[in-house]
Amino acid sequence: MTRPVVVELDDEPDAPEPRPVLEPRGRRWWIALLLLVVLVLAVAQVVADARERTRDAALARVPGVLLPLAAAPRPAWQLDADTYDVTVTGGQLLEERVATDGSMQLTQRDVVTGSPGWTTPLLDAADPPLPAAAARYGLDCTDGPALPDRVVCLMHDATAVRTRDGDAAGSSTATSGPATTAGLAVVDTATGRVTDRYPAGSGDTVAAALAVVGGSVVLAAPQPDGIAVWSLDATTGEERWRVHADTGSGGGWLRWGAEVRVVPVGDDAVAVLGAGSQLLDADDGSTLGSAGMLSTVQGVTPDGRALVVEVEGRTRLVGRDLDVDLDGNPVPVAFDDASVPALTLTTGGGLRAWDATSGESRWHAPVAVGTRAGVVLTGRVHVHDGNEVNTLDARTGVVLWDASATELLGEDLRITGVATDGVRLVVTGIDRLGSRAVVVAVDPADGAPAWRTEVPDAAAVAAVEGLLLVWTGDAVSVLR
């Protein structure tokens, strides 16, 4: 807009021409400074927004983080009745389904709305038909950074006896049996198309567990005197190596009831778990270390470099070139944003923090004696013991705030878990009669409430694969 000109009205014809009013030099300087400040703030906001998006994207890739929850979630949709397990990858949910006839399928759903997408058959129904009390259970799908937009599914045909309630009914061999054959299917998660199929053992060596490590699929088959382990190229199915791990698994069909797992440890090692555990080099299968026979593997350290092992009231960290022994039992950590590097927690006479690399003690806080699980977020440690949440400075162990189950959830409720969506601390709980579930979100800095959700007639609630799931009767619903 043209700046106004001051004109003096005068009837005299010889009056001088009016002159425009010039702005003082100082005023122009302040306007320029103001524009500069606005520009700097705008750029700063763009950078902050970009950093926030980068942080959110990075957090979304950290195991254990919940999908964003901006407001109090409600039961949005239900999983299929025959869903055995779920995998969340690339913003979509994959349901691993085992039907009563023994057939296996993988179904893709929109993680927000639950609307179904593709369904892919993985294994045919049993022939001859299964006995009435028996059920197949051998379906396990997993992904890995080296396999973008793909999952690898292991299917085996072992059966287990089931009661009318669906629980395992013991060691009857009349209607239960070990696996006789197994196969792998590589599935394109965008289309559901099976791009490759590979055999995964037969006869006495049938794979019961798998993991994707780098560009390999590592398989494990229980044996009478340990576990057979072998590696396949994920793109060709070619066998790379095969070894025997001395983990002490039992023999006969009962070995299929034992827990056999394969756990990636970093990008270049893999742990094989049975009655004991052994750490192998992912490139050639050579032994890197062992956690012993009388041990329980709780998982891996947040940086993925080492196994977290519980053995006789102590904690061991076992990795490539790492074997650290710590006082106390390990504290399972559902999420760690790496804001305090190399942090490991144990419990014993209170909460203890250790340097995972050197094994040196960082601090000891005489709180949270019965800690069951924890979350590490923005330099804070949040732990619970079922009755209370304690929040401590992750660097010093100083207690910042605490709250009881009654304060957080309500009367007659107990805490069942802590989780986070990367912004808030999410606390789940169930009443002592197991008849209603409550989920609350609080500010991790001071415990101030953000939202609260109550689900009546609920028997359990838990964070699984980045989702909040609630069990009501025979149904499992996703809270969104």
Side-chain angles (χ1 to χ4, degrees):
M1 178 183 294
T2 303
R3 193 167 296 280
V5 176
V6 178
V7 178
E8 183 177 347
L9 299 179
D10 198 326
D11 292 334
E12 298 181 12
D14 296 330
E17 291 289 331
R19 295 189 307 171
V21 177
L22 300 178
E23 294 181 353
R25 185 180 300 274
R27 184 176 177 185
R28 293 200 302 271
W29 183 84
W30 277 107
I31 291 174
L33 179 61
L34 179 60
L35 290 174
L36 178 61
V37 170
V38 170
L39 178 61
V40 169
L41 290 176
V43 171
Q45 185 61 50
V46 170
V47 172
D49 290 344
R51 287 177 176 172
E52 186 69 18
R53 289 193 298 270
T54 301
R55 175 181 179 273
D56 290 345
L59 286 177
R61 293 191 295 268
V62 179
V65 69
L66 295 172
L67 296 180
L69 297 167
R74 299 289 182 219
W77 51 275
Q78 293 183 356
L79 300 178
D80 282 305
D82 58 6
T83 296
Y84 181 75
D85 203 354
V86 297
T87 299
V88 176
T89 178
Q92 58 185 332
L93 180 138
L94 306 180
E95 288 182 288
E96 302 164 26
R97 299 166 56 192
V98 182
T100 55
D101 63 4
S103 61
M104 299 179 184
Q105 298 177 324
L106 190 64
T107 296
Q108 180 260 343
R109 286 181 179 270
D110 183 281
V111 75
V112 175
T113 65
S115 57
W118 49 259
T119 294
T120 298
L122 296 177
L123 187 67
D124 293 336
D127 184 18
L130 295 172
R136 282 179 175 173
Y137 59 89
L139 176 58
D140 186 8
C141 297
T142 187
D143 59 355
L147 296 177
D149 304 318
R150 286 174 289 171
V151 294
V152 181
C153 296
L154 170 68
M155 303 80 64
H156 68 68
D157 62 354
T159 59
V161 177
R162 300 294 173 189
T163 65
R164 293 179 180 178
D165 295 330
D167 297 325
S171 59
S172 169
T173 59
T175 52
S176 293
T180 60
T181 185
L184 291 176
V186 182
V187 182
D188 184 315
T189 57
T191 64
R193 184 173 66 91
V194 175
T195 59
D196 296 286
R197 284 188 181 269
Y198 310 126
S202 61
D204 294 331
T205 306
V206 179
L210 84 162
V212 174
V213 185
S216 300
V217 179
V218 179
L219 300 165
Q223 301 287 291
D225 58 348
I227 297 177
V229 191
W230 66 103
S231 171
L232 303 179
D233 186 292
T235 57
T236 67
E238 179 184 359
E239 184 172 313
R240 291 181 168 178
W241 51 259
R242 183 180 292 258
V243 298
H244 180 84
D246 185 13
T247 57
S249 294
W253 79 268
L254 288 175
R255 68 177 185 261
W256 291 94
E259 184 176 18
V260 176
R261 288 189 292 157
V262 184
V263 179
V265 181
D267 297 326
D268 57 2
V270 62
V272 183
L273 317 180
S277 53
Q278 199 161 330
L279 187 66
L280 307 176
D281 190 304
D283 289 333
D284 58 16
S286 59
T287 300
L288 299 174
S290 172
M293 295 297 177
L294 300 177
S295 61
T296 302
V297 174
Q298 299 286 1
V300 296
T301 53
D303 60 7
R305 292 181 53 237
L307 289 175
V308 179
V309 183
E310 180 180 353
V311 52
E312 297 181 347
R314 298 182 65 80
T315 298
R316 282 183 64 196
L317 306 180
V318 181
R320 182 187 290 271
D321 302 322
L322 179 67
D323 194 339
V324 175
D325 186 64
L326 308 173
D327 287 335
N329 295 312
V331 173
V333 176
F335 173 82
D336 190 325
D337 66 352
S339 54
V340 182
L343 179 71
T344 293
L345 302 174
T346 68
T347 180
L351 190 64
R352 298 172 179 266
W354 308 85
D355 187 298
T357 302
S358 66
E360 295 180 356
S361 176
R362 290 185 175 178
W363 48 262
H364 176 205
V367 297
V369 175
T371 297
R372 298 182 182 180
V375 163
V376 180
L377 180 66
T378 59
R380 303 178 184 89
V381 170
H382 309 274
V383 294
H384 86 91
D385 62 0
N387 298 311
E388 188 176 51
V389 169
N390 296 97
T391 293
L392 303 88
D393 187 305
R395 294 174 179 82
T396 65
V398 172
V399 177
L400 302 177
W401 61 269
D402 53 51
S404 67
T406 299
E407 293 172 312
L408 289 169
L409 304 172
E411 293 288 343
D412 298 324
L413 282 110
R414 57 185 174 86
I415 300 167
T416 57
V418 288
T420 182
D421 60 1
V423 177
R424 301 176 184 84
L425 181 69
V426 179
V427 183
T428 60
I430 199 79
D431 74 350
R432 299 188 184 277
L433 297 178
S435 60
R436 65 187 174 106
V438 174
V439 183
V440 298
V442 300
D443 188 322
D446 56 13
W451 49 254
R452 183 179 191 275
T453 289
E454 182 170 333
V455 183
D457 302 321
V461 60
V464 178
E465 285 280 331
L467 297 175
L468 283 174
L469 302 183
V470 61
W471 284 256
T472 53
D474 295 331
V476 181
S477 299
V478 175
L479 297 180
R480 292 298 299 159

